[in-house]
Amino acid sequence: MPKEVSLEKIVSLAKRRGFIFPGSEIYGGLSGTWDYGPLGVLLKQKLIDWWRDYFVHQRSDMLMVDSSILMNSRVWRASGHTETFTDPLVECQNCHNRFRADKIDLSICPNCSKKNTFGEARNFNLMFQTLIGPNSIQDQSLEIDKNKLLDLINHQSSDLLKFNLNDFSSLVNPSLVYLRPETAQGIFTNFKNIIDSIYPDIPFGLAQYGKAFRNEISPRDFIFRSREFEQLEIEYFVRPQEWQKHFDQWVVFIQDWYQLIGLNQKSIHLLEVPKGDLAHYSKRTIDFEYDFPIGKEELSGLAYRTDFDLKNIVNFSNKNIEYRDKKTNESFIPHVIEPSFGVERMIMAILTEAYTEEVMEDQSSRVVLRLAKQLAPIKVVVSPLLKNNQPLVDKAFLLFKSLKKELKFVLYDDNGNIGKRYRRADEIGTPYCVTIDFQSLEDDTVTVRDRDTTSQERVSINQLIEYLNQ
Ligand code: ATP
């Protein structure tokens, strides 16, 4: 059963409690950009740490790279992005609003409701462009770089008609670079460096996380479709004949991951992408879809990219990047399985899954984020029962300082009454609230209240850290 929570409630909580804010809001915003506040940063960092732990450090076949966002524009020609990384764009002849043709009902304009107003869709490239270097302004002159032109003709089967605007502008302007639309290419371009420096045994994977940028035609649905977002990607290099076996293993490994971070298995759906809809580089793709408040949509992807990328790099760079098997001495270009995750979509799924409204025994209501404890931005809130009683305050603050040293993600809160503090802690998913009361002054025990059950236990301060860590 999909979780019944509206997107508005999640957006509102995210803003109210300092998780996620609209980008540049004070100047009227910038469409498709979002800023993480103090709690959002913690949630995101904990998610990335956990991902890295699960997908890299707990395995013996994974390594990491961290490549530049700005890359030589040949990277994007070789990978096919300048030519094919496009979405179909249509424009309403009446109100001149533009839309992604595959996401709307084309019989009527979603903005002005005019019927039959769209012409032919054209391909809109999603890559952001910028200029690099101090000569970038002069370089905008229309002087053609002859070597690059030859290079392009050689590698595009002399079919000049294949030129698109991006190829052309990079010919006339050698300063043109792109903001990477995926982190994957930074892995492929370092493949040779890795095999020459680390000599990993095949199969092995290279992981990278970082920002990616796409000039989405219609950014929408909170952080789901942003223009700047974060990806976590793995390129897993295998012997060509073994790709199927590894692909199947990755499906299970990814399913286990989603269970681990607290997503309901029933809300995850595997979509075998039909052959006709596959990306230009893929021979097989499974989309992991999730029941978001906006409907069933892609959460992450798993693609069999064959040797598409490495072969293109060989063609465009004229470098030999074959992998040589140490045991058999056999040389070959590995095939690639690519699990590809988006941080924003995972966070949106996690918030959707965790958001719960409850009526309590005393008929009061609460909002509680039932986050996996490992993801909770704040682990413990420490409070004195009364904020105007000095011995309680002193003892609570002392305990706060010592817990903070050990557990880091600890908050001191003495605002309002204890009930209100619990509600505030529930709303941001804090698993434990520790209260110093009058008994604490006598016997060095505290009450620990559990977020999920709301039950309270008395625990000795001596054993508190052990208790909280369990
Ligand atoms: P979609 O079809 O929804 O546009 P995609 O198939 O183009 O997504 P991929 O290129 O497979 O996406 O990117 C891998 C992952 O990166 C996606 O599964 C998603 O989690 C994330 N992602 C892609 N585009 C965006 C975006 N605009 N905003 C946030 N996350 C994104």
Side-chain angles (χ1 to χ4, degrees), residues 378-427:
I378 302 295
K379 185 160 182 164
V380 189
V381 169
V382 180
S383 296
L385 182 64
L386 303 170
K387 78 166 171 187
N388 47 12
N389 180 299
Q390 204 55 41
L392 291 182
V393 169
D394 288 347
K395 196 168 178 76
F397 203 72
L398 212 62
L399 179 64
F400 159 69
K401 283 207 294 195
S402 75
L403 287 183
K404 176 107 184 125
K405 234 183 210 162
E406 287 291 323
L407 305 171
K408 291 202 247 342
F409 308 105
V410 185
L411 207 68
Y412 181 81
D413 186 6
D414 63 5
N415 278 323
N417 63 36
I418 197 78
K420 288 209 174 110
R421 291 176 214 158
Y422 288 160
R423 294 290 174 281
R424 272 201 300 276
D426 288 343
E427 213 182 28

Side-chain angles (χ1 to χ4, degrees), residues 70-71 130-137 139 173-177:
L70 298 176
M71 302 170 86
T130 190
L131 299 172
I132 197 164
N135 300 323
S136 55
I137 295 175
D139 287 342
N173 186 355
S175 302
L176 178 75
V177 289

